[in-house]
Amino acid sequence: SKTWQLLGYDINDDWPGYSLDLFSYPAHYSGDIDCVIIPHGVIMDRTERLARNIMDDLGDHDIVVLCVLKGGYQFCADLVDRIKALSRNSDRTIPMRVHFIRLKSYLNDQSTEDLHILGAEDLSFLAGKNVLIVEAIVGTGKTMKTLLKHVEAFRPKMIKVAGLLVKRVPHNSACLPDYVGFEIPDRFVVGYALDYNEYFRDLNHICVISESGKMKYKI
Ligand code: HPA
Ligand code: MG
């Protein structure tokens, strides 16, 4: 069994979350979520700090950001924004490209075996660059491991991974991000671009889906 070391801002298994009454969220999701586990403002504050950590490590050379769609689009956009802000306020500015790839492996709340990588056929422009892979959530780390192997083949100067969320699931020691926003319990979360069958991307906070929400949007 793995002993957890603190990777990111830690949200305990017994943390009940914030009551939905404390925040605003779209009325079309009332009844579909149980609680807020990470309010949007906290995500933004943590992202600002991650941006600084990333620039400390990667800011000496051209950066290519590899955004893992779809779930990573919001985190990537906000993280890139913060990195740009640091670049504006510093005399040492670094050119940054953003490239999008798509991974698909989830149906309902279950991971399926076959992983598809789209948009990653020719990544030869990564050669000699500092690459930052940006993912919304890391579970077992199997996906990340596959992706890293694929990217390494294009010979970047350095590869780092930023994951907004790391889930405490059994056997997730396979691969962990270099930069972690939050460690969360092994529960299915939605919001901030994370979906359940394409729903909930239009929710700002990271929330725990309710049983009735799972039923309502099941395929
Ligand atoms: N929510 C949304 N997408 C996911 C999750 C999750 O908890 N885990 C892996 N993909
Ligand atoms: Mg998904």
Side-chain angles (χ1 to χ4, degrees), residues 134-204:
V134 179
E135 281 200 88
I137 189 160
V138 174
T140 61
K142 267 197 323 202
T143 302
M144 209 177 100
K145 207 169 174 177
T146 308
L147 184 57
L148 271 173
K149 237 168 103 183
H150 187 83
V151 170
E152 270 161 13
F154 296 96
R155 306 227 153 256
K157 178 167 181 270
M158 192 193 294
I159 310 175
K160 296 283 188 187
V161 180
L164 179 64
L165 307 175
V166 168
K167 234 188 234 193
R168 278 187 301 269
V169 298
H171 323 295
N172 85 338
S173 50
C175 218
L176 290 165
D178 302 287
Y179 310 97
V180 176
F182 305 87
E183 275 179 52
I184 62 166
D186 187 11
R187 302 170 74 183
F188 201 80
V189 295
V190 293
Y192 195 70
L194 285 168
D195 75 310
Y196 175 81
N197 295 331
E198 302 301 328
Y199 290 91
F200 300 102
R201 294 197 204 275
D202 57 335
L203 173 67
N204 271 348

Side-chain angles (χ1 to χ4, degrees), residues 30-81:
S30 63
D32 303 337
I33 42 186
D34 275 338
C35 63
V36 172
I37 66 163
I38 314 173
H40 183 253
V42 177
I43 301 169
M44 300 308 284
D45 290 336
R46 180 76 185 116
T47 299
E48 182 178 349
R49 178 56 194 266
L50 289 176
R52 213 179 71 207
N53 294 348
I54 289 164
M55 280 307 274
D56 286 347
D57 296 344
L58 297 185
D60 64 334
H61 196 74
D62 291 28
I63 297 174
V64 180
V65 174
L66 273 189
C67 172
V68 180
L69 296 174
K70 291 182 186 176
Y73 88 82
Q74 192 67 63
F75 176 48
C76 185
D78 289 330
L79 186 63
V80 165
D81 240 36

Side-chain angles (χ1 to χ4, degrees), residues 14 100 128 132 200:
D14 54 8
F100 298 89
L132 179 70
F200 300 102

Side-chain angles (χ1 to χ4, degrees), residues 92 128 210:
R92 196 195 50 181
S210 67

